[in-house]
Amino acid sequence: MPAEPQPASPIKDFDGFVALLRQRRPMLPKRLKQVADHALAHLDDMAFGSTAQIAERAGVQASTLVRFAQALDYSGFSEMQEVFRSRLRRQVVDHRERLAALRGTQAATGGAVALLEGFVHASETSLTQVKAAIRPADLEAAVTLLAGARTIVLVGARRMFPVVSYLAYAFGKLGIRAVLVDNVAGLGPEQAAIAGPGDVVLAVSYAPYAAMTVEIAAAAHQRGVPVLALTDSALSPLAENCRLWLEVAEADYGAFRSVAATFAVAMTLAVATAEKSGLSADPDLDR
């Protein structure tokens, strides 16, 4: 008799989990799709919430969470929850590990000059990649979307917060109404809730995706607010909850990723939106 097929081994890393979920989501029943959408929009909640709490917030029965986990090859919800917790543990130690890895490269003996050369090269690579990745039609559509907005709500956290902060500055100098979600006192979702159908949410996040950014984008998308996302992959949770997304994949040096391409795209969107709207730049924009 032929041997029975062995059950697939459950995926332990978060990026692999997201890829698997994107692959299987179209084949999931309605309730399991509902859990999938909730999971990608509430990453921290999935890591620390109890089964009862997560089920209530997702609008399903607790048993549905178990079925969801088993549909992705896990024995139960607790085993799958460890994947979400591993994502948070990785964030805590990630920069120390990167620095340790960097010490094993030529930068260890080349000093600051070698570091500069490495980071410049990573930036050049990022800029070359983004030119090839973004389709002109998508870029024009993004500019048209922003130019037609009553208010642009800017959302980004951690490494991407400087990008949206720059956009708030640039849009202000260009006479374009924009609101920066700074998440002071944890009020990011409340700040972003001002966005209505006549507005646009511009959300920026790359793996490992910032939970606040993903949650705000998903909530806005569900309310019918157009969302424009800058993100790194079709597997990104932002790509599932937006009107349009632009792919920006940053290269790294010693596992420290560049932000050069992201800033180039941000500057392009700001100035092109002003031109599309027939506005003139403030002479102090470059100060």
Side-chain angles (χ1 to χ4, degrees):
M1 293 180 61
E4 293 187 4
Q6 296 297 312
S9 299
I11 291 175
K12 301 297 184 181
D13 68 285
F14 181 74
D15 292 341
F17 170 82
V18 172
L20 177 66
L21 182 54
R22 293 287 184 217
Q23 177 187 355
R24 295 192 183 178
R25 184 186 179 281
M27 298 173 283
L28 295 176
K30 179 180 177 180
R31 286 298 184 189
L32 299 193
K33 285 182 180 176
Q34 186 174 331
V35 176
D37 293 341
H38 178 85
L40 292 178
H42 302 85
L43 302 179
D44 292 353
D45 184 34
M46 291 293 292
F48 295 117
S50 68
T51 304
Q53 290 170 334
I54 295 170
E56 181 180 0
R57 291 166 186 165
V60 299
Q61 298 294 321
S63 60
T64 306
L65 295 183
V66 178
R67 288 169 45 221
F68 174 69
Q70 292 173 341
L72 297 173
D73 304 323
Y74 298 93
S75 61
F77 180 76
S78 296
E79 185 180 21
M80 185 188 71
Q81 192 173 42
E82 278 301 310
V83 176
F84 290 87
R85 292 175 177 171
S86 71
R87 164 186 166 270
L88 295 178
R89 287 194 293 268
R90 182 178 68 180
Q91 290 179 19
V92 172
V93 302
D94 198 37
H95 276 73
R96 285 179 293 193
E97 290 179 349
R98 293 178 192 180
L99 189 58
L102 194 60
R103 291 194 181 108
T105 68
Q106 63 178 355
T109 56
V113 172
L115 284 173
L116 177 61
E117 291 176 352
F119 288 128
V120 167
H121 178 69
S123 296
E124 290 172 342
T125 301
S126 297
L127 293 168
T128 299
Q129 289 178 167
V130 79
K131 285 196 298 182
I134 295 182
R135 297 183 299 177
D138 288 343
L139 185 59
E140 291 296 338
V143 172
T144 299
L145 187 63
L146 293 173
R150 179 181 54 196
T151 302
I152 301 171
V153 178
L154 302 165
V155 187
R158 300 199 301 265
R159 192 169 64 99
M160 291 299 106
F161 188 73
V163 176
V164 291
S165 297
Y166 167 78
L167 280 168
Y169 167 78
F171 281 137
K173 287 290 187 180
L174 292 165
I176 298 169
R177 179 176 169 81
V179 174
L180 174 64
V181 174
D182 57 21
N183 200 37
V184 171
L187 293 173
E190 288 78 6
Q191 292 173 325
I194 67 167
D199 305 317
V200 170
V201 171
L202 200 171
V204 189
S205 187
Y206 306 150
Y209 308 101
M212 182 201 73
T213 305
V214 173
E215 290 170 11
I216 288 175
H221 184 65
Q222 290 165 10
R223 296 199 312 272
V225 179
V227 176
L228 169 63
L230 303 186
T231 193
D232 55 355
S233 167
L235 300 177
S236 163
L238 285 184
E240 280 284 304
N241 292 290
C242 67
R243 172 81 60 86
L244 174 68
W245 66 280
L246 301 178
E247 181 177 344
V248 186
E250 298 278 10
D252 67 81
Y253 178 61
F256 286 89
R257 278 179 289 174
S258 169
V259 291
T262 308
F263 269 104
V265 173
M267 295 173 72
T268 299
L269 291 175
V271 176
T273 298
E275 290 186 349
K276 187 83 171 180
S277 304
L279 300 173
S280 300
D282 187 311
D284 292 332
L285 179 60
D286 60 348
R287 296 185 183 179

